[in-house]
Amino acid sequence: MEPKTKINAEDGRQELMITRDFDLSLELLFKAHVEPELVAQWMGTNVLKLDTRKHGSYQFATADPKGNKHRFNGVIHQFIPNEKITRTFEMEGTPFEAQLEFLEFQKLSEDTSRLNMHIVYRSTSQRDQMLKMGMRQGMNMAHNRLEEAAGKLK
Amino acid sequence: MEPKTKINAEDGRQELMITRDFDLSLELLFKAHVEPELVAQWMGTNVLKLDTRKHGSYQFATADPKGNKHRFNGVIHQFIPNEKITRTFEMEGTPFEAQLEFLEFQKLSEDTSRLNMHIVYRSTSQRDQMLKMGMRQGMNMAHNRLEEAAGKLK
């Protein structure tokens, strides 16, 4: 089955264009990106800090099935409720550096919505390595969990 | 005279590589990027906020010679004293969006140092517009002022 989350990676660029339509209202889709409890559910992570406002920041910690611990963090550059979040994201303790993410939220109908994510990397090779690590499948699965978790709040 | 601040803009990319050597110790060069009074001097701006730490943020306001007001802001993703700052930067009220900046500080000798800046833009066209607006000259002049202002602290 084709993944619902579409990732467009143009050859030689240092960016990704990601689009996903959800059977969720715009408000629920946005809530799933800012409410710590919901974020924890669909990202499968512990939310140590999630200060979703302009110039806020976040810190997540998780353990993979083998018990390895991973930490993620970033800062929020721009925050417009139900419309846009511009933030950085970094997987700590890896060779990957901070990436810049533009998340744009769009109402399609009363109970459907679209997420457009534009991710800009420090280099083409860092982007390509992310894809090789299974980012396409991982993000699609995470978005499936998002839809399920937020859908319970309908 | 050739500008001392070198900006390398590869065709079709969405990034700039900037290098400048200073007749300043590493510590003074770094200080010029974090001390509000010094930043205000060489950037010619009012520093409304400058919280230089991991997950900190900043806000500057300035007026150009015609009296037009401009505001700039960003968040600090990573902060390693005398070594590295990763941050976002945005000129408010313009079509330009947040850019991601990696500043790396390097000691050359006891009283000389190098700044490497890698700026990543949302698009090639946003980068190219920045260059057209006179960024090469502007950054070189600002770095000249930096060297002069910080040099007084020797």
Side-chain angles (χ1 to χ4, degrees):
Chain A
M1 203 172 73
E2 205 183 339
K4 285 174 146 184
T5 298
K6 315 283 184 201
I7 301 188
N8 182 24
E10 203 184 316
D11 262 4
R13 303 293 305 174
Q14 62 201 92
E15 62 190 340
L16 292 176
M17 305 291 191
I18 300 164
T19 303
R20 165 87 181 217
D21 289 353
F22 290 90
D23 286 331
L24 295 169
S25 68
L26 171 65
E27 290 72 21
L28 269 182
L29 175 62
F30 192 80
K31 199 173 182 178
H33 286 81
V34 300
E35 274 220 346
E37 206 176 309
L38 263 175
V39 170
Q41 279 181 53
W42 70 267
M43 291 196 67
T45 188
N46 288 317
V47 175
L48 305 183
K49 174 171 74 167
L50 181 54
D51 183 9
T52 46
R53 57 177 176 89
K54 184 181 168 78
H55 293 186
S57 57
Y58 64 91
Q59 173 82 58
F60 303 153
T62 187
D64 66 23
K66 289 176 189 157
N68 302 310
K69 293 207 191 329
H70 302 281
R71 288 172 74 98
F72 310 87
N73 82 88
V75 268
I76 294 163
H77 176 90
Q78 190 179 26
F79 186 82
I80 307 172
N82 297 320
E83 198 176 318
K84 187 174 179 182
I85 297 172
T86 305
R87 69 185 181 196
T88 61
F89 172 89
E90 185 185 3
M91 294 198 289
E92 296 172 31
T94 71
F96 297 104
E97 292 188 82
Q99 60 197 49
L100 183 60
E101 303 186 339
F102 300 90
L103 285 76
E104 281 150 344
F105 302 84
Q106 191 183 344
K107 177 179 176 166
L108 296 178
S109 72
E110 285 310 316
D111 49 12
T112 59
S113 55
R114 178 171 295 161
L115 169 65
N116 290 304
M117 266 182 97
H118 182 187
I119 308 183
V120 184
Y121 296 86
R122 185 158 187 185
S123 68
T124 304
S125 88
Q126 290 200 5
R127 182 202 72 169
D128 290 348
Q129 283 174 62
M130 282 283 186
L131 289 171
K132 274 188 198 145
M133 284 170 67
M135 181 181 170
R136 283 182 194 277
Q137 298 78 356
M139 189 166 270
N140 187 61
M141 282 169 61
H143 282 160
N144 290 348
R145 290 194 302 267
L146 185 165
E147 194 163 59
E148 195 188 336
K152 289 180 184 157
L153 304 178
K154 273 180 191 170
Chain B
M1 202 173 72
E2 205 185 336
K4 284 174 145 182
T5 298
K6 315 283 183 202
I7 301 187
N8 182 24
E10 203 184 315
D11 262 5
R13 304 293 305 173
Q14 63 200 92
E15 62 189 340
L16 292 176
M17 305 291 191
I18 300 164
T19 303
R20 165 88 181 214
D21 289 353
F22 291 88
D23 285 332
L24 295 169
S25 68
L26 170 66
E27 291 71 21
L28 269 181
L29 175 62
F30 192 81
K31 199 173 182 176
H33 285 82
V34 300
E35 273 220 348
E37 207 176 307
L38 264 176
V39 170
Q41 278 180 55
W42 70 266
M43 292 196 66
T45 188
N46 289 316
V47 175
L48 306 182
K49 173 171 73 167
L50 181 55
D51 183 8
T52 46
R53 58 177 173 90
K54 185 180 166 81
H55 293 186
S57 57
Y58 64 92
Q59 173 84 58
F60 303 153
T62 188
D64 66 24
K66 290 175 185 155
N68 301 311
K69 294 209 192 327
H70 303 280
R71 289 171 72 98
F72 310 87
N73 83 88
V75 269
I76 294 163
H77 176 89
Q78 190 179 25
F79 186 82
I80 307 173
N82 298 321
E83 195 176 320
K84 188 173 180 184
I85 298 172
T86 305
R87 68 184 183 198
T88 61
F89 173 88
E90 185 185 1
M91 295 198 289
E92 297 172 30
T94 71
F96 297 103
E97 292 188 82
Q99 61 198 48
L100 183 59
E101 302 186 340
F102 299 89
L103 284 76
E104 281 149 345
F105 302 83
Q106 191 183 345
K107 177 180 178 168
L108 296 179
S109 71
E110 285 309 316
D111 50 11
T112 60
S113 54
R114 178 171 294 162
L115 169 66
N116 290 305
M117 265 183 95
H118 182 186
I119 308 184
V120 184
Y121 295 86
R122 183 157 188 186
S123 68
T124 305
S125 90
Q126 290 201 5
R127 182 202 71 166
D128 290 347
Q129 283 174 63
M130 282 283 185
L131 289 171
K132 276 191 196 140
M133 285 170 68
M135 181 182 170
R136 283 182 195 278
Q137 298 79 356
M139 189 165 270
N140 186 60
M141 283 169 60
H143 281 161
N144 290 347
R145 289 195 302 268
L146 185 165
E147 194 163 57
E148 196 189 336
K152 290 180 184 156
L153 304 177
K154 274 180 192 172

